[in-house]
Amino acid sequence: MNSSRHDPQSNPLRAETVLVTAGRDTKAQKGFVNPPVVHGSTVLYPTAEDLHAHRGEFRYGRHGTPTTKALQEALMALEGPQCAGVGLVPSGLSAITTALLSVLKAGDHLLVGDNIYRPSRNFCDGLLARYGVETTYFDPLIGTGVAEFFKPNTAAVLVEAPGSQTFEMADIPAIAEVAHARGALVIDDNTWATPLYRRALEQGVDISMQAATKYIGGHSDIMFGTISANEKTWPLILETIRQLGVCAGPDDVFLSLRGLRTLSVRLAQHQRSGLEMARWLAARPEVVRVLHPAMESDPGHAIWRRDFTGASGLFSIVLKPAPQKAVDAMLDAVKLFGMGYSWGGFESLVIPFDCDGYRTATNWAPGGPSLRLHIGLENVEDLKADLERGFAAFNAA
Ligand SMILES: *Cc1c(COP(=O)(O)O)cnc(C)c1O
């Protein structure tokens, strides 16, 4: 893939090495490689004077522990020098909602890409609307054309590239330039690429969130979210997290840190297998389109090449027009591709989707039933055989 952007001046270590070394304090851990899983609420102060001064590195479990500190340091190092802090929250969705609450107030206007993760929309149309924030959705492919949607009270823009399900590639640096010229902040959902394959804060994004539930955890065994913020927005994120009282369970924090250590090898394999499967699927007669920005034929490919150093294992396909029962027969015939929500674990997944029902700024009419695939760490020949079984059932139905 693209060579990793490495500036030896600012950081002598490359991203893979950062993933292995960052956030480790062997001395504090009494020689152990990993930090302990600190289950803790109360932190004791040795003297009254220390208590009055809130002296000490840790003050209360909700505000942080040696385990959260290790993960925050590792994520900051991965995000790069623009990252001023990382907030840890109990899910990817809470990372989005906390980021939005940090920068918006009653009377504000919010711009949101039409291809955003659907539960993020529910928050904008639900709680945010109730608290007096107005949301306008825009075509994510509009680039600098987003300028026409700004109002005097537009405070933030929420984007995701590539977007959930459809993998449309928004030009986030271009959108950020327009937003900053109008005094608005940019929040992005970087779950697909992770900071390993796209350093969002270096591309004009002010707050970049991750559903760590996905690739950072990597094993389909946690719910977790992270919020990376730049100098300007970190105080807002920290204050909001403190006031809301959100914090993350120590086991999930530990498992996220453990996931980070192997992220580079897992993602490289997801990328390799994902692209091989995408190319194989593109040649199948049942498939009319593959939606994968790392494929040369994809309309978002140029942006992907420019802004990303790699691709993950999640993409979609559009099947030739067929009745629902043919699609269902395919879903029931595959065995290695599990049917279920989420992604980013070691295992392959498939779900059908139809986003035409909820998109409001654009029409999504791909010309056939659509499936989103997550390519796991199984052998690709076994995955092809599994999908061949699925296509046989699709054709027979
Ligand atoms: C899954 C997902 C989320 C939400 O993460 P949870 O941990 O499930 O709350 C947010 N954004 C994207 C793109 C996702 O795929």
Side-chain angles (χ1 to χ4, degrees), residues 313-373:
L314 189 79
F315 61 94
S316 291
I317 57 173
V318 180
L319 299 170
K320 67 183 185 190
Q324 185 63 43
K325 73 172 175 39
V327 180
D328 288 350
M330 176 174 178
L331 294 173
D332 286 335
V334 293
K335 296 290 171 255
L336 293 175
F337 282 85
M339 243 184 299
Y341 295 96
S342 202
W343 45 276
F346 49 80
E347 80 290 12
S348 290
L349 294 168
V350 58
I351 52 158
F353 70 91
D354 178 6
C355 45
D356 201 37
Y358 63 84
R359 287 175 67 134
T360 51
T362 47
N363 287 321
W364 175 253
S370 311
L371 300 177
R372 191 187 71 186
L373 301 172

Side-chain angles (χ1 to χ4, degrees), residues 91-93 96 117 160 164 189 191 209 211 213-214 223-224 343:
S91 71
L93 181 57
I96 296 167
Y117 178 63
E160 184 180 321
S164 279
D189 184 333
T191 301
M209 58 69 53
T213 307
K214 313 290 169 57
M223 300 298 305
F224 196 61
W343 45 276

Side-chain angles (χ1 to χ4, degrees), residues 1-23:
M1 286 298 105
N2 305 354
S3 62
S4 67
R5 279 182 210 98
H6 177 242
D7 175 6
Q9 230 84 69
S10 68
N11 187 348
L13 300 176
R14 288 158 178 85
E16 294 81 1
T17 314
V18 168
L19 283 172
V20 170
T21 56

Side-chain angles (χ1 to χ4, degrees), residues 46 83 106 137 186 195 216 257 308 321 335 347 365:
C83 185
Y137 295 94
V186 178
I216 290 182
L257 185 61
F308 294 67
K335 296 290 171 255
E347 80 290 12

Side-chain angles (χ1 to χ4, degrees), residues 253-271:
V253 175
F254 180 83
L255 288 171
S256 295
L257 185 61
R258 182 159 110 156
L260 266 192
R261 302 303 184 203
T262 58
L263 182 67
S264 69
V265 283
R266 285 186 291 106
L267 266 191
Q269 187 60 48
H270 284 295
Q271 163 167 258

Side-chain angles (χ1 to χ4, degrees), residues 21 45 80 132 136 171 186 208 252 268 275 281 306 314 324 346 353:
T21 56
Y45 296 86
T136 303
D171 187 341
V186 178
S208 181
D252 292 344
L275 268 169
L281 283 159
R306 187 193 64 192
L314 189 79
Q324 185 63 43
F346 49 80
F353 70 91

Side-chain angles (χ1 to χ4, degrees), residues 170-182:
D171 187 341
I172 293 181
I175 291 170
E177 211 173 301
V178 171
H180 291 158
R182 285 158 182 77

